[in-house]
Structures are given as structure tokens and as C-alpha cells.
Amino acid sequence: MKKCSHQNCDLEVENNDKCTFHCEKDDWFTINEKNIKIWDEKKVDKFWKEVRKYIKDRQDNYQWIYFFESFIFPDITIDILNKPTNEDKILIKDFYFWEEGSDLKLEGLVSFKNCSFYDFLFYEIIVDSISFKKIKAEVIKLSNMEIKSLYFDKINDELEIELDNINITESCSFGDLNIDYLALHNVKFEDMTIRASNFYSAIFSNIRINNGLFINSTIDNIWSSHGFHIENKDTFTYLNMDVKKADREYFRLFKNYFFDKKDYINGNEMYQKEMDTYLLGLWKNVTKRRNLIKNIQDIIVTAFGKYSSNFGQSWLMPLLWIIIFLFLKVYLPNDCTLSYWFSGYAYLWDKISEQFYILLDLKASGLWDLLSKTLLGLLVYQLTVAIKRKTKY
């Protein structure tokens, strides 16, 4: 019997010096007129029979670690939702990883390394820990489960990861990932880590994190972060995270997180992103003609804060606006030729200073004077707020 060429594999060769686990499976299917793969049921059944035999051998020898390394799974959806069980949740026939007469349980660590899947859907499975490393798949979804540990590591693929109604009692890590989509719904984390990863989009809905680390990662778009709870801010670290777009709730959460830790630099940055998101939301409401009068009023106020001081992040912006405003106040009523504009600098600054003191006088003479004093007062307020924010650093 010729053995598989894969390291540490003693199975018989199936195709191109590889066994049923490790062969490419290019000849296991045909393609019909609708461009759909029709799999050879005998070969697929043989594959899962060997998987179940491997698991049983491990269990019989009390080796509760199941290493699936470089397995190429048939290009079918592994869907545990529609499992053939009786009233006692016992299988009435063989089903993927489990034999007839057993329950849906995999005690110990289940490790998938360098494996290829299609859709991987686990539902109400009893398992201690699962690890996915350097895998290829389209969808991995785990739901209605309690897991000790869960790891996703070194995955660079157009992959969707979804966790729904999961309780992770020890640790969960997303490390060195570059994937399309991460969705967390109703998930409780004892210890959660996101590090050195890139996500095109994400959803954080009703999640609770006791201890956590978000570091050196990028998320292009967080669609929703409703119900994002950090249970213990003293054991949570948020560092070098680049979230390019998110809902207002996400930036508000981390604004309060940083302010509570007296980290005003990062807190003010989150405040700026929160207000930018708020301004964008107001504009969308206007384009959709929702509460036009109210939203237009809010846009005017918010946009003034944005362009006068970047929501208090820049003291230089309001200072420059004050100088420009006073400069125009001096020159607009006079000769506006270039020669006049650039002559007599000392005289110019004297006049600007004079106008500044005049405008600070609360007594207004005429509508233009009133508007001038109001605008200057708002700019001075923005300057004061921005300087106050900076001095908190």
C-alpha cells in the first residue's frame, strides 16, 4: 500500500500521492449546465468516514486534541444546523465529524491549520476550544455555543467570520488577519484580542468584553456597534487602531473610555471622529428631506464647529479665522488695490487691533456691527475651547 506523501500521514494514496484528506479533489465532482458542482457521493462519504475514524482513534487513546492539518475539505457547506438527531439529541445516522449514536460533542482542542473549506457552520456544538490558522474559506459561523477558547490566526482570504450567541469563557484572539467581514452578535468575552489585523467591514452588536486588547489593526467600516460594553476599563487596552468609518456610538464609546482614563489626546481624537460622523448623518437626513428645518439648523452649528476649530482640536484655525476676519473688516470699506493691501504693515496691525477692541465692545451700532461682534465672539469661544483642550494634555 502506497502511503500519503504528506508528513505524518499513514493513509492510502487517493490522488497524486495524497490521501483522501490531503488530495486536491479536482476529480471528485462534475459541473452541470448551471455551472454547479455535483460531487461524487462515494468519495465524499469516504472522506467523512475517515474523519470519523481519525476522531474515534484519538478518543480511544485519550488524546483530546484533534489536529486537522492541510485537510482539503470537499467544496460543500458544512452545516450543523439541520442535524439528524432524536429527542435526546443523539444522532440517528453518521453526520460529518460524528458517528451514529453519539451526541454533537468534541471535547478538547479542535485545530484546523492550512485547511480549505467552503462554508463552515457550527450550531449548538459542545466543544472546548477551536483554532483556525492559515485556512481558506468563504464563511465561518459559530452560533449558540459556549467555548473555552477560540483562535483565528494568520488568515488572508475573502472570509466572513460570524459569531452569534456565543459565550467564550477563557480567551478569544483575532491575530494577523486580513479578511472581508467580522460580525459579533450577542457574544460575551472573558478575554478578547484583536491585533495586527485588517477588516474591510465589521459589526459589534451586543457584545461584552471583560478583559481586552485592540492593537495595531485597521477596520475600514464598522456598520454597527450597538450594545458594545467594556466591563472593566482598567484591563482593556485600545492602541494604534485605525477605524476609518463607524457609527457615532463607536466613537462615543471610546471617547468616554479615553476620558475616563484621562487620556485626553486620544479622547479628543475620538470626539472629533464622533462629530464628523454626526455631521455626515445630518447631511444624509437633509438629502433625504427628513426634518429639514431642524437638521439644517444642526448642520450650520456643527459645520461651524468643524471648520472653525475642527471641533476644538485646533487652536490655530480659529486664530487664523479671527485674523482674516479683522483683516477684511479693516480693508473691505477702503481701497482694495494690491498696493494698498501690502503697504504700511504697522498701520495695518494697529487698525486690526483697534477693530478687535471695538468688536469686543458689547454695544452694537447697526446690524453689520452686531453680526460682526457675534461672529468674532463665536471664534473667540472656539479659540478658548481649543486652548483649554490642549492645556489638558
Side-chain angles (χ1 to χ4, degrees):
M1 181 183 72
K2 188 176 181 181
K3 294 184 179 180
C4 178
S5 61
H6 189 271
Q7 186 180 9
N8 300 323
C9 182
D10 295 328
L11 291 181
E12 184 180 355
V13 166
E14 173 75 24
N15 186 14
N16 293 331
D17 295 326
K18 298 289 181 65
C19 67
T20 187
F21 291 155
H22 301 111
C23 68
E24 293 295 334
K25 301 174 179 59
D26 295 333
D27 59 351
W28 285 33
F29 60 87
T30 58
I31 299 178
N32 65 13
E33 65 278 1
K34 296 182 179 180
N35 202 32
I36 298 174
K37 290 181 180 179
I38 307 299
W39 285 85
D40 186 324
E41 291 185 5
K42 290 183 178 180
K43 291 185 176 181
V44 172
D45 288 344
K46 179 182 178 182
F47 175 90
W48 287 111
K49 183 179 180 180
E50 292 293 341
V51 169
R52 290 188 289 270
K53 183 177 181 298
Y54 166 75
I55 290 175
K56 191 172 189 308
D57 288 344
R58 304 288 293 183
Q59 292 172 342
D60 289 344
N61 290 285
Y62 298 100
Q63 299 178 26
W64 303 103
I65 301 178
Y66 310 102
F67 290 112
F68 298 95
E69 184 171 354
S70 301
F71 278 36
I72 299 177
F73 287 79
D75 189 8
I76 57 177
T77 298
I78 302 174
D79 187 356
I80 315 298
L81 179 59
N82 300 311
K83 44 191 178 294
T85 57
N86 59 21
E87 295 177 354
D88 298 322
K89 297 184 178 181
I90 302 299
L91 289 170
I92 59 177
K93 65 178 182 179
D94 292 341
F95 186 67
Y96 295 122
F97 300 90
W98 301 274
E99 291 183 327
E100 177 185 350
S102 64
D103 52 8
L104 295 171
K105 180 186 296 185
L106 283 173
E107 295 177 310
L109 170 65
V110 182
S111 174
F112 298 99
K113 181 179 179 182
N114 292 319
C115 292
S116 296
F117 302 101
Y118 180 54
D119 288 350
F120 187 95
L121 312 176
F122 263 23
Y123 178 82
E124 291 186 345
I125 305 301
I126 300 174
V127 60
D128 287 345
S129 302
I130 307 178
S131 173
F132 297 95
K133 185 174 182 178
K134 295 182 179 179
I135 65 164
K136 291 184 178 180
E138 292 196 11
V139 175
I140 293 179
K141 181 176 180 179
L142 310 179
S143 58
N144 293 70
M145 298 168 60
E146 180 171 291
I147 308 173
K148 284 184 179 179
S149 302
L150 180 60
Y151 304 98
F152 296 90
D153 190 29
K154 292 182 172 63
I155 303 174
N156 188 351
D157 199 23
E158 295 179 355
L159 172 65
E160 297 181 8
I161 297 174
E162 184 173 352
L163 307 182
D164 186 5
N165 196 23
I166 300 288
N167 182 18
I168 303 173
T169 59
E170 291 185 3
S171 62
C172 179
S173 175
F174 303 90
D176 293 308
L177 307 183
N178 188 5
I179 66 173
D180 280 354
Y181 180 59
L182 173 66
L184 307 176
H185 303 279
N186 303 311
V187 185
K188 185 177 181 180
F189 299 94
E190 176 60 29
D191 193 305
M192 178 190 180
T193 297
I194 293 179
R195 60 171 178 78
S197 296
N198 297 299
F199 305 95
Y200 178 73
S201 60
I203 290 178
F204 302 125
S205 176
N206 293 320
I207 69 171
R208 294 185 176 274
I209 304 172
N210 192 23
N211 308 300
L213 173 64
F214 284 24
I215 187 170
N216 298 334
S217 298
T218 299
I219 305 176
D220 286 346
N221 189 358
I222 297 178
W223 292 346
S224 174
S225 60
H226 176 71
F228 191 125
H229 300 283
I230 300 172
E231 301 290 340
N232 189 346
K233 294 182 179 180
D234 292 332
T235 57
F236 187 95
T237 300
Y238 190 93
L239 185 64
N240 295 332
M241 291 292 296
D242 182 12
V243 176
K244 297 180 179 179
K245 185 178 179 181
D247 60 0
R248 188 181 174 191
E249 292 300 320
Y250 183 86
F251 295 125
R252 178 188 293 159
L253 168 73
F254 285 101
K255 174 195 71 176
N256 294 333
Y257 163 79
F258 284 120
F259 282 161
D260 288 345
K261 295 173 73 72
K262 300 189 185 308
D263 182 349
Y264 299 112
I265 294 177
N266 285 307
N268 286 330
E269 181 181 347
M270 287 296 169
Y271 172 70
Q272 174 197 336
K273 291 182 177 181
E274 176 193 355
M275 296 306 294
D276 282 337
T277 304
Y278 175 58
L279 182 60
L280 181 61
L282 290 174
W283 177 249
K284 288 181 179 179
N285 287 336
V286 169
T287 58
K288 294 178 181 179
R289 300 184 179 278
R290 296 174 180 169
N291 298 325
L292 274 179
I293 296 177
K294 180 181 184 304
N295 282 301
I296 288 175
Q297 290 175 342
D298 291 342
I299 282 179
I300 293 172
V301 174
T302 309
F304 180 80
K306 167 69 176 176
Y307 295 107
S308 63
S309 67
N310 197 17
F311 302 116
Q313 304 306 300
S314 172
W315 61 268
L316 187 59
M317 286 177 66
L319 180 61
L320 289 176
W321 279 118
I322 290 171
I323 293 173
I324 292 170
F325 176 74
L326 294 176
F327 182 87
L328 295 176
K329 177 70 175 175
V330 170
Y331 274 102
L332 283 179
N334 297 285
D335 182 4
C336 293
T337 62
L338 289 177
S339 59
Y340 181 80
W341 277 38
F342 293 99
S343 64
Y345 292 109
Y347 171 76
L348 167 65
W349 288 108
D350 286 342
K351 293 294 291 182
I352 288 177
S353 299
E354 178 184 331
Q355 287 295 320
F356 183 76
Y357 287 114
I358 292 174
L359 289 171
L360 287 181
D361 184 359
L362 296 179
K363 295 181 180 179
S365 57
L367 180 61
W368 169 241
D369 195 25
L370 175 62
L371 293 176
S372 300
K373 285 181 167 61
T374 302
L375 180 58
L376 182 64
L378 291 173
L379 291 172
V380 170
Y381 171 77
Q382 293 290 337
L383 176 62
T384 304
V385 170
I387 292 175
K388 185 178 179 181
R389 285 184 181 273
K390 294 297 180 183
T391 56
K392 268 191 173 184
Y393 291 176

